[in-house]
Amino acid sequence: MVAPLFLTREDRARAQHSQSWKSWVLRLIEPDREALEEASRFFLPGCRDFFMPRARELKNSSRWTFLPDMLPELVGPEGLPWAQIEWVDLLWTDVHPLLLIKVSGNRPFNPDDAKWTATAAASWHPAHPGASPAIWRVGGRELHLRQWILGDVLALPSERWDEVDGRVHWFGQDLPNFNLCHAEGGWPEDQVRDDLVLHFALGMSSWKEEFGPDTTTQQAILAHHLQEWANWRLYEWRNRLTLFLAGAATHGQPRNTETYYSLLFATVCYQRVRLTDFLDQATGPDAGIARLRHSFAAFRRQYLPHRVTTYVMGDRIYDFLRAANHLPEIQKEIEEQIRLADEAERLDLGRQENLTMIVLTTVAALFLPASLLTGAFGMNKMSDLTLEPVFWWGLLAAYVLGALLVGGLTVAFGRYRLLPKLSALLLGRN
């Protein structure tokens, strides 16, 4: 599961001095440098230090991990634990750090158990008034996942919770989740598999017949999948992923899904949140185009590569997830908004330059009589360096008159908005 958060530098500094967080490499079975180098080759060089940093020191790592002393357990319908949280990773981005939460079932599940567990584990906010998120048990206490993450793991005061996890609402009441279903006995029957996919995609543990998805929606969900291998199929619907593996574990699966593909999913979630941020800024009433252009360019260079992996299958999954979230279209819309704002800004700048020239020409014309008077007196009197008092009084009067005219124009332009009217008159603007 993935949770986009909003954490300050103070939050990071406080967590860095905590004994709970470690560099993520310390939880690996083989955290030696050669093994890390080999594992990180899944990602292109520009992405490796972010996704799989090799530093053992917390301050030098962009990925932290939290290993709970007591594993939080998901309480099932009959009050028994059905699943538990194994670890929580924190990916530090420039904005909206991401939490990655790994939840594992504590026993083999039948289809109904799998539906309930997948839905309950991702529960973050109440689905509707009067509802309550799923219950987790930690050290004898019963609480919600949000309470445990924000209160116990991050140690944040409750009054800041809505500020910290506000972006989760963009994905609905549940966290974006990646369900890995490994059936060692082979593929389940088509009807069973399709029923599981529909429930996972809609985030429902069960439904009454009259409240289930219609035929068109069912067909759309089941058709939206990616498959290249005979025993491997990936479904996506509204930031809920389901990967089915059939048969014995081979070619690195299911470990590859946890180690690599989950990071691709988290990346796309982060891109969606940030691109939506930029789109809101670009179309908002107070868009600072210069700041938006600079921050979007920096984000695009660091977090919006067209490729992130050295594996063909990884690229296919990455493109599949980006297309499902319409991220290329959103990116083009933001770039178009920036381009239109740039053109409007250049047009306004040209108009301001024209108006400035008009005002300067007007001021120069106002001071022309004083200049002529100064020249006339100067030509007649500079020969003997004797200036009569009338010259000084005339010069003073001319400059005072000019200053009064300039001041009056400035006040009139500001109070009666003469510049826009003058611009419309001289530049033909409606």
Short mmCIF file of all heavy atoms in Angstrom, two decimals, residues 23-79:
data_model
loop_
_atom_site.label_atom_id
_atom_site.label_comp_id
_atom_site.label_asym_id
_atom_site.label_seq_id
_atom_site.Cartn_x
_atom_site.Cartn_y
_atom_site.Cartn_z
N SER A 23 18.10 2.89 7.93
CA SER A 23 18.26 2.84 6.49
C SER A 23 17.70 1.52 5.98
O SER A 23 17.89 0.47 6.62
CB SER A 23 19.74 2.97 6.11
OG SER A 23 19.89 2.82 4.72
N TRP A 24 17.03 1.56 4.85
CA TRP A 24 16.27 0.39 4.40
C TRP A 24 17.18 -0.83 4.14
O TRP A 24 16.70 -1.96 4.20
CB TRP A 24 15.48 0.73 3.14
CG TRP A 24 16.30 0.68 1.89
CD1 TRP A 24 17.21 1.60 1.47
CD2 TRP A 24 16.31 -0.37 0.94
NE1 TRP A 24 17.78 1.20 0.30
CE2 TRP A 24 17.25 -0.01 -0.06
CE3 TRP A 24 15.63 -1.58 0.80
CZ2 TRP A 24 17.52 -0.81 -1.16
CZ3 TRP A 24 15.90 -2.38 -0.29
CH2 TRP A 24 16.83 -2.00 -1.26
N VAL A 25 18.45 -0.62 3.84
CA VAL A 25 19.31 -1.76 3.52
C VAL A 25 19.52 -2.66 4.73
O VAL A 25 19.89 -3.83 4.58
CB VAL A 25 20.68 -1.27 2.98
CG1 VAL A 25 20.49 -0.44 1.73
CG2 VAL A 25 21.43 -0.49 4.03
N LEU A 26 19.29 -2.14 5.93
CA LEU A 26 19.56 -2.93 7.13
C LEU A 26 18.54 -4.03 7.36
O LEU A 26 18.75 -4.90 8.21
CB LEU A 26 19.62 -2.00 8.36
CG LEU A 26 20.73 -0.95 8.32
CD1 LEU A 26 20.71 -0.11 9.59
CD2 LEU A 26 22.10 -1.61 8.14
N ARG A 27 17.44 -4.02 6.63
CA ARG A 27 16.47 -5.11 6.78
C ARG A 27 16.61 -6.17 5.70
O ARG A 27 15.86 -7.15 5.68
CB ARG A 27 15.05 -4.58 6.79
CG ARG A 27 14.56 -3.97 5.50
CD ARG A 27 13.06 -3.70 5.61
NE ARG A 27 12.57 -2.84 4.56
CZ ARG A 27 12.28 -3.25 3.34
NH1 ARG A 27 12.44 -4.52 3.02
NH2 ARG A 27 11.84 -2.40 2.43
N LEU A 28 17.56 -5.97 4.79
CA LEU A 28 17.76 -6.97 3.74
C LEU A 28 18.48 -8.19 4.30
O LEU A 28 19.26 -8.10 5.24
CB LEU A 28 18.56 -6.37 2.59
CG LEU A 28 17.95 -5.16 1.89
CD1 LEU A 28 18.84 -4.72 0.74
CD2 LEU A 28 16.55 -5.47 1.39
N ILE A 29 18.25 -9.32 3.68
CA ILE A 29 18.90 -10.55 4.12
C ILE A 29 20.39 -10.50 3.82
O ILE A 29 21.22 -10.94 4.63
CB ILE A 29 18.26 -11.77 3.42
CG1 ILE A 29 16.78 -11.86 3.79
CG2 ILE A 29 18.97 -13.06 3.81
CD1 ILE A 29 16.04 -12.96 3.06
N GLU A 30 20.76 -9.93 2.67
CA GLU A 30 22.17 -9.83 2.28
C GLU A 30 22.50 -8.36 1.98
O GLU A 30 22.55 -7.95 0.82
CB GLU A 30 22.45 -10.69 1.06
CG GLU A 30 22.21 -12.17 1.28
CD GLU A 30 22.45 -12.97 0.01
OE1 GLU A 30 22.59 -12.34 -1.06
OE2 GLU A 30 22.50 -14.20 0.10
N PRO A 31 22.73 -7.56 3.00
CA PRO A 31 22.94 -6.13 2.77
C PRO A 31 24.38 -5.78 2.39
O PRO A 31 24.83 -4.68 2.66
CB PRO A 31 22.56 -5.52 4.12
CG PRO A 31 22.94 -6.56 5.12
CD PRO A 31 22.70 -7.89 4.43
N ASP A 32 25.13 -6.73 1.79
CA ASP A 32 26.49 -6.39 1.39
C ASP A 32 26.44 -5.56 0.11
O ASP A 32 25.46 -5.58 -0.66
CB ASP A 32 27.32 -7.66 1.18
CG ASP A 32 26.75 -8.54 0.10
OD1 ASP A 32 25.88 -9.38 0.42
OD2 ASP A 32 27.14 -8.37 -1.06
N ARG A 33 27.50 -4.84 -0.14
CA ARG A 33 27.51 -3.86 -1.23
C ARG A 33 27.34 -4.51 -2.60
O ARG A 33 26.65 -3.99 -3.48
CB ARG A 33 28.79 -3.04 -1.18
CG ARG A 33 28.74 -1.81 -2.09
CD ARG A 33 29.76 -0.78 -1.69
NE ARG A 33 29.54 0.47 -2.40
CZ ARG A 33 28.68 1.41 -2.02
NH1 ARG A 33 27.94 1.23 -0.95
NH2 ARG A 33 28.55 2.52 -2.72
N GLU A 34 27.96 -5.66 -2.82
CA GLU A 34 27.85 -6.32 -4.11
C GLU A 34 26.42 -6.75 -4.40
O GLU A 34 25.92 -6.61 -5.53
CB GLU A 34 28.80 -7.52 -4.17
CG GLU A 34 30.27 -7.15 -4.21
CD GLU A 34 31.15 -8.37 -4.40
OE1 GLU A 34 30.59 -9.48 -4.52
OE2 GLU A 34 32.38 -8.22 -4.41
N ALA A 35 25.75 -7.28 -3.37
CA ALA A 35 24.35 -7.69 -3.56
C ALA A 35 23.47 -6.48 -3.85
O ALA A 35 22.56 -6.55 -4.69
CB ALA A 35 23.85 -8.43 -2.32
N LEU A 36 23.74 -5.36 -3.17
CA LEU A 36 22.96 -4.15 -3.43
C LEU A 36 23.21 -3.62 -4.83
O LEU A 36 22.28 -3.17 -5.52
CB LEU A 36 23.29 -3.09 -2.39
CG LEU A 36 22.72 -3.31 -0.99
CD1 LEU A 36 23.26 -2.26 -0.02
CD2 LEU A 36 21.21 -3.27 -1.02
N GLU A 37 24.45 -3.65 -5.24
CA GLU A 37 24.77 -3.19 -6.59
C GLU A 37 24.04 -4.03 -7.63
O GLU A 37 23.50 -3.50 -8.61
CB GLU A 37 26.29 -3.27 -6.82
CG GLU A 37 27.10 -2.26 -6.03
CD GLU A 37 27.03 -0.87 -6.62
OE1 GLU A 37 26.46 -0.74 -7.72
OE2 GLU A 37 27.54 0.07 -6.00
N GLU A 38 24.03 -5.32 -7.42
CA GLU A 38 23.36 -6.20 -8.36
C GLU A 38 21.85 -5.96 -8.36
O GLU A 38 21.22 -5.91 -9.43
CB GLU A 38 23.66 -7.66 -8.00
CG GLU A 38 23.02 -8.69 -8.93
CD GLU A 38 23.53 -8.58 -10.36
OE1 GLU A 38 24.71 -8.16 -10.54
OE2 GLU A 38 22.77 -8.89 -11.29
N ALA A 39 21.27 -5.81 -7.17
CA ALA A 39 19.82 -5.59 -7.08
C ALA A 39 19.41 -4.27 -7.70
O ALA A 39 18.35 -4.16 -8.34
CB ALA A 39 19.37 -5.66 -5.62
N SER A 40 20.24 -3.24 -7.52
CA SER A 40 19.87 -1.91 -7.99
C SER A 40 19.98 -1.76 -9.50
O SER A 40 19.54 -0.75 -10.04
CB SER A 40 20.74 -0.85 -7.30
OG SER A 40 22.10 -0.98 -7.69
N ARG A 41 20.56 -2.73 -10.18
CA ARG A 41 20.69 -2.62 -11.63
C ARG A 41 19.36 -2.74 -12.36
O ARG A 41 19.29 -2.53 -13.57
CB ARG A 41 21.66 -3.70 -12.14
CG ARG A 41 23.10 -3.41 -11.78
CD ARG A 41 24.04 -4.50 -12.25
NE ARG A 41 25.41 -4.26 -11.79
CZ ARG A 41 26.40 -5.12 -11.88
NH1 ARG A 41 26.17 -6.31 -12.43
NH2 ARG A 41 27.60 -4.82 -11.45
N PHE A 42 18.32 -3.08 -11.64
CA PHE A 42 16.99 -3.05 -12.24
C PHE A 42 16.65 -1.63 -12.69
O PHE A 42 15.94 -1.43 -13.68
CB PHE A 42 15.96 -3.55 -11.22
CG PHE A 42 14.54 -3.49 -11.71
CD1 PHE A 42 14.00 -4.52 -12.46
CD2 PHE A 42 13.73 -2.39 -11.42
CE1 PHE A 42 12.69 -4.46 -12.90
CE2 PHE A 42 12.42 -2.33 -11.86
CZ PHE A 42 11.90 -3.37 -12.60
N PHE A 43 17.13 -0.63 -11.95
CA PHE A 43 16.83 0.76 -12.24
C PHE A 43 17.96 1.41 -13.03
O PHE A 43 19.13 1.05 -12.88
CB PHE A 43 16.58 1.55 -10.95
CG PHE A 43 15.39 1.07 -10.18
CD1 PHE A 43 15.54 0.27 -9.07
CD2 PHE A 43 14.11 1.42 -10.59
CE1 PHE A 43 14.44 -0.18 -8.36
CE2 PHE A 43 13.00 0.98 -9.89
CZ PHE A 43 13.16 0.18 -8.78
N LEU A 44 17.61 2.38 -13.84
CA LEU A 44 18.61 3.15 -14.57
C LEU A 44 19.46 3.96 -13.59
O LEU A 44 19.01 4.28 -12.48
CB LEU A 44 17.92 4.09 -15.56
CG LEU A 44 17.22 3.40 -16.74
CD1 LEU A 44 16.41 4.41 -17.54
CD2 LEU A 44 18.23 2.71 -17.63
N PRO A 45 20.69 4.30 -13.97
CA PRO A 45 21.59 4.98 -13.02
C PRO A 45 21.01 6.24 -12.39
O PRO A 45 21.22 6.50 -11.21
CB PRO A 45 22.81 5.32 -13.89
CG PRO A 45 22.82 4.25 -14.93
CD PRO A 45 21.37 3.96 -15.23
N GLY A 46 20.23 7.01 -13.15
CA GLY A 46 19.67 8.23 -12.59
C GLY A 46 18.62 8.00 -11.52
O GLY A 46 18.28 8.93 -10.78
N CYS A 47 18.08 6.77 -11.43
CA CYS A 47 17.01 6.48 -10.47
C CYS A 47 17.48 5.62 -9.30
O CYS A 47 16.76 5.49 -8.31
CB CYS A 47 15.85 5.77 -11.16
SG CYS A 47 15.20 6.62 -12.61
N ARG A 48 18.66 5.03 -9.41
CA ARG A 48 19.07 4.04 -8.41
C ARG A 48 19.21 4.63 -7.02
O ARG A 48 18.77 4.04 -6.03
CB ARG A 48 20.39 3.41 -8.84
CG ARG A 48 20.28 2.49 -10.03
CD ARG A 48 21.62 2.02 -10.53
NE ARG A 48 21.49 1.28 -11.79
CZ ARG A 48 22.49 0.93 -12.55
NH1 ARG A 48 23.75 1.24 -12.19
NH2 ARG A 48 22.29 0.28 -13.68
N ASP A 49 19.82 5.79 -6.92
CA ASP A 49 20.09 6.36 -5.60
C ASP A 49 18.81 6.77 -4.89
O ASP A 49 18.80 6.94 -3.67
CB ASP A 49 21.01 7.58 -5.72
CG ASP A 49 22.43 7.17 -6.07
OD1 ASP A 49 22.78 6.00 -5.82
OD2 ASP A 49 23.18 8.01 -6.60
N PHE A 50 17.73 6.94 -5.63
CA PHE A 50 16.46 7.28 -4.99
C PHE A 50 15.71 6.02 -4.57
O PHE A 50 15.26 5.90 -3.43
CB PHE A 50 15.60 8.12 -5.93
CG PHE A 50 14.21 8.38 -5.41
CD1 PHE A 50 14.02 9.23 -4.33
CD2 PHE A 50 13.11 7.76 -5.96
CE1 PHE A 50 12.75 9.45 -3.83
CE2 PHE A 50 11.84 7.98 -5.48
CZ PHE A 50 11.67 8.84 -4.41
N PHE A 51 15.55 5.08 -5.50
CA PHE A 51 14.76 3.89 -5.20
C PHE A 51 15.50 2.91 -4.28
O PHE A 51 14.89 2.34 -3.37
CB PHE A 51 14.39 3.16 -6.50
CG PHE A 51 13.37 3.87 -7.32
CD1 PHE A 51 13.68 4.35 -8.58
CD2 PHE A 51 12.09 4.06 -6.84
CE1 PHE A 51 12.73 4.99 -9.35
CE2 PHE A 51 11.14 4.71 -7.59
CZ PHE A 51 11.46 5.18 -8.85
N MET A 52 16.78 2.71 -4.53
CA MET A 52 17.53 1.72 -3.77
C MET A 52 18.87 2.31 -3.33
O MET A 52 19.93 1.86 -3.78
CB MET A 52 17.73 0.45 -4.60
CG MET A 52 16.44 -0.15 -5.10
SD MET A 52 16.65 -1.72 -5.99
CE MET A 52 16.95 -2.82 -4.61
N PRO A 53 18.85 3.31 -2.47
CA PRO A 53 20.12 3.89 -2.00
C PRO A 53 20.92 2.87 -1.21
O PRO A 53 20.36 2.05 -0.48
CB PRO A 53 19.66 5.06 -1.12
CG PRO A 53 18.29 4.70 -0.69
CD PRO A 53 17.69 3.94 -1.82
N ARG A 54 22.23 2.92 -1.35
CA ARG A 54 23.08 1.90 -0.73
C ARG A 54 23.71 2.35 0.57
O ARG A 54 24.50 1.63 1.16
CB ARG A 54 24.16 1.47 -1.74
CG ARG A 54 23.64 0.55 -2.82
CD ARG A 54 24.29 0.81 -4.15
NE ARG A 54 23.77 2.04 -4.75
CZ ARG A 54 24.11 2.48 -5.96
NH1 ARG A 54 24.97 1.80 -6.68
NH2 ARG A 54 23.60 3.59 -6.45
N ALA A 55 23.39 3.54 1.02
CA ALA A 55 23.98 4.05 2.26
C ALA A 55 23.36 3.37 3.47
O ALA A 55 22.14 3.17 3.54
CB ALA A 55 23.78 5.57 2.36
N ARG A 56 24.20 3.03 4.43
CA ARG A 56 23.72 2.43 5.67
C ARG A 56 23.34 3.49 6.70
O ARG A 56 22.62 3.20 7.66
CB ARG A 56 24.79 1.50 6.26
CG ARG A 56 25.07 0.26 5.42
CD ARG A 56 26.26 -0.51 5.95
NE ARG A 56 26.50 -1.73 5.20
CZ ARG A 56 26.05 -2.92 5.55
NH1 ARG A 56 25.36 -3.05 6.67
NH2 ARG A 56 26.29 -3.99 4.81
N GLU A 57 23.84 4.70 6.52
CA GLU A 57 23.55 5.79 7.46
C GLU A 57 22.23 6.44 7.07
O GLU A 57 21.99 6.74 5.91
CB GLU A 57 24.66 6.83 7.48
CG GLU A 57 26.04 6.28 7.82
CD GLU A 57 26.70 5.61 6.63
OE1 GLU A 57 26.24 5.84 5.49
OE2 GLU A 57 27.66 4.85 6.85
N LEU A 58 21.41 6.72 8.06
CA LEU A 58 20.08 7.26 7.81
C LEU A 58 20.16 8.61 7.11
O LEU A 58 19.39 8.89 6.19
CB LEU A 58 19.32 7.38 9.13
CG LEU A 58 17.79 7.49 9.03
CD1 LEU A 58 17.21 6.25 8.40
CD2 LEU A 58 17.19 7.72 10.41
N LYS A 59 21.08 9.45 7.53
CA LYS A 59 21.14 10.82 6.99
C LYS A 59 21.54 10.84 5.52
O LYS A 59 21.27 11.82 4.82
CB LYS A 59 22.12 11.66 7.81
CG LYS A 59 23.57 11.17 7.75
CD LYS A 59 24.48 12.06 8.57
CE LYS A 59 25.93 11.56 8.51
NZ LYS A 59 26.82 12.44 9.30
N ASN A 60 22.17 9.79 5.03
CA ASN A 60 22.61 9.74 3.64
C ASN A 60 21.66 8.94 2.75
O ASN A 60 21.97 8.72 1.58
CB ASN A 60 24.01 9.13 3.54
CG ASN A 60 25.05 9.97 4.25
OD1 ASN A 60 24.97 11.19 4.26
ND2 ASN A 60 26.03 9.31 4.87
N SER A 61 20.56 8.50 3.28
CA SER A 61 19.64 7.65 2.55
C SER A 61 18.33 8.37 2.29
O SER A 61 17.82 9.08 3.16
CB SER A 61 19.38 6.35 3.32
OG SER A 61 18.48 5.52 2.61
N SER A 62 17.79 8.19 1.10
CA SER A 62 16.49 8.76 0.76
C SER A 62 15.35 7.77 1.02
O SER A 62 14.19 8.10 0.79
CB SER A 62 16.46 9.19 -0.70
OG SER A 62 16.71 8.08 -1.55
N ARG A 63 15.70 6.58 1.50
CA ARG A 63 14.69 5.56 1.78
C ARG A 63 14.94 4.99 3.17
O ARG A 63 16.00 4.45 3.44
CB ARG A 63 14.75 4.46 0.73
CG ARG A 63 13.67 3.39 0.88
CD ARG A 63 13.77 2.37 -0.24
NE ARG A 63 12.80 1.30 -0.09
CZ ARG A 63 12.73 0.23 -0.88
NH1 ARG A 63 13.58 0.12 -1.89
NH2 ARG A 63 11.81 -0.70 -0.67
N TRP A 64 13.94 5.15 4.03
CA TRP A 64 14.04 4.67 5.41
C TRP A 64 13.09 3.49 5.60
O TRP A 64 12.15 3.29 4.82
CB TRP A 64 13.68 5.77 6.39
CG TRP A 64 14.56 6.98 6.33
CD1 TRP A 64 15.61 7.20 5.49
CD2 TRP A 64 14.44 8.16 7.13
NE1 TRP A 64 16.16 8.43 5.72
CE2 TRP A 64 15.48 9.04 6.73
CE3 TRP A 64 13.59 8.55 8.15
CZ2 TRP A 64 15.66 10.29 7.30
CZ3 TRP A 64 13.75 9.80 8.72
CH2 TRP A 64 14.79 10.65 8.31
N THR A 65 13.33 2.74 6.65
CA THR A 65 12.44 1.62 6.95
C THR A 65 12.14 1.59 8.44
O THR A 65 12.95 2.02 9.27
CB THR A 65 13.07 0.28 6.51
OG1 THR A 65 12.06 -0.74 6.54
CG2 THR A 65 14.22 -0.13 7.41
N PHE A 66 10.95 1.10 8.75
CA PHE A 66 10.49 0.98 10.13
C PHE A 66 10.11 -0.47 10.35
O PHE A 66 9.20 -1.00 9.69
CB PHE A 66 9.29 1.90 10.37
CG PHE A 66 8.71 1.81 11.75
CD1 PHE A 66 9.23 2.57 12.79
CD2 PHE A 66 7.63 0.98 12.02
CE1 PHE A 66 8.69 2.50 14.06
CE2 PHE A 66 7.09 0.91 13.29
CZ PHE A 66 7.63 1.66 14.31
N LEU A 67 10.82 -1.11 11.26
CA LEU A 67 10.53 -2.50 11.62
C LEU A 67 9.86 -2.49 12.99
O LEU A 67 10.52 -2.24 14.00
CB LEU A 67 11.80 -3.33 11.64
CG LEU A 67 12.55 -3.43 10.30
CD1 LEU A 67 13.88 -4.14 10.47
CD2 LEU A 67 11.69 -4.16 9.28
N PRO A 68 8.57 -2.74 13.06
CA PRO A 68 7.87 -2.64 14.35
C PRO A 68 8.34 -3.72 15.33
O PRO A 68 8.65 -4.85 14.93
CB PRO A 68 6.40 -2.81 13.98
CG PRO A 68 6.41 -3.52 12.67
CD PRO A 68 7.65 -3.11 11.97
N ASP A 69 8.40 -3.35 16.60
CA ASP A 69 8.75 -4.33 17.64
C ASP A 69 7.68 -5.41 17.73
O ASP A 69 7.98 -6.59 17.94
CB ASP A 69 8.91 -3.62 18.99
CG ASP A 69 10.06 -2.63 18.98
OD1 ASP A 69 11.02 -2.86 18.22
OD2 ASP A 69 10.00 -1.62 19.70
N MET A 70 6.41 -4.99 17.60
CA MET A 70 5.29 -5.92 17.59
C MET A 70 4.53 -5.71 16.28
O MET A 70 4.15 -4.58 15.97
CB MET A 70 4.36 -5.69 18.79
CG MET A 70 5.02 -5.99 20.13
SD MET A 70 3.96 -5.54 21.52
CE MET A 70 4.04 -3.75 21.42
N LEU A 71 4.36 -6.76 15.51
CA LEU A 71 3.71 -6.63 14.21
C LEU A 71 2.23 -6.32 14.39
O LEU A 71 1.49 -7.09 15.02
CB LEU A 71 3.86 -7.93 13.41
CG LEU A 71 5.29 -8.37 13.08
CD1 LEU A 71 5.25 -9.66 12.28
CD2 LEU A 71 6.01 -7.28 12.31
N PRO A 72 1.77 -5.19 13.85
CA PRO A 72 0.32 -4.90 13.91
C PRO A 72 -0.45 -5.96 13.13
O PRO A 72 -0.08 -6.32 12.00
CB PRO A 72 0.21 -3.52 13.25
CG PRO A 72 1.57 -2.92 13.37
CD PRO A 72 2.52 -4.07 13.28
N GLU A 73 -1.51 -6.46 13.71
CA GLU A 73 -2.29 -7.54 13.10
C GLU A 73 -3.66 -7.02 12.71
O GLU A 73 -4.32 -6.30 13.47
CB GLU A 73 -2.42 -8.71 14.07
CG GLU A 73 -1.09 -9.36 14.43
CD GLU A 73 -1.25 -10.45 15.47
OE1 GLU A 73 -2.15 -10.34 16.32
OE2 GLU A 73 -0.47 -11.42 15.42
N LEU A 74 -4.09 -7.40 11.52
CA LEU A 74 -5.42 -7.06 11.04
C LEU A 74 -6.43 -8.02 11.66
O LEU A 74 -6.33 -9.23 11.50
CB LEU A 74 -5.46 -7.16 9.51
CG LEU A 74 -6.80 -6.87 8.85
CD1 LEU A 74 -7.25 -5.44 9.10
CD2 LEU A 74 -6.71 -7.15 7.34
N VAL A 75 -7.37 -7.46 12.39
CA VAL A 75 -8.35 -8.28 13.12
C VAL A 75 -9.46 -8.69 12.16
O VAL A 75 -10.11 -7.85 11.53
CB VAL A 75 -8.93 -7.49 14.30
CG1 VAL A 75 -9.96 -8.35 15.05
CG2 VAL A 75 -7.81 -7.06 15.24
N GLY A 76 -9.67 -9.99 12.04
CA GLY A 76 -10.69 -10.52 11.15
C GLY A 76 -12.08 -10.43 11.73
O GLY A 76 -12.29 -10.01 12.88
N PRO A 77 -13.08 -10.86 10.93
CA PRO A 77 -14.47 -10.77 11.39
C PRO A 77 -14.74 -11.50 12.69
O PRO A 77 -15.59 -11.08 13.49
CB PRO A 77 -15.26 -11.39 10.22
CG PRO A 77 -14.37 -11.22 9.04
CD PRO A 77 -12.98 -11.36 9.56
N GLU A 78 -14.05 -12.62 12.94
CA GLU A 78 -14.30 -13.35 14.18
C GLU A 78 -13.34 -12.97 15.29
O GLU A 78 -13.24 -13.67 16.30
CB GLU A 78 -14.22 -14.86 13.91
CG GLU A 78 -12.83 -15.37 13.52
CD GLU A 78 -12.54 -15.17 12.05
OE1 GLU A 78 -13.45 -14.70 11.34
OE2 GLU A 78 -11.42 -15.49 11.62
N GLY A 79 -12.60 -11.85 15.12
CA GLY A 79 -11.71 -11.36 16.16
C GLY A 79 -10.33 -11.98 16.16
O GLY A 79 -9.54 -11.71 17.06
#
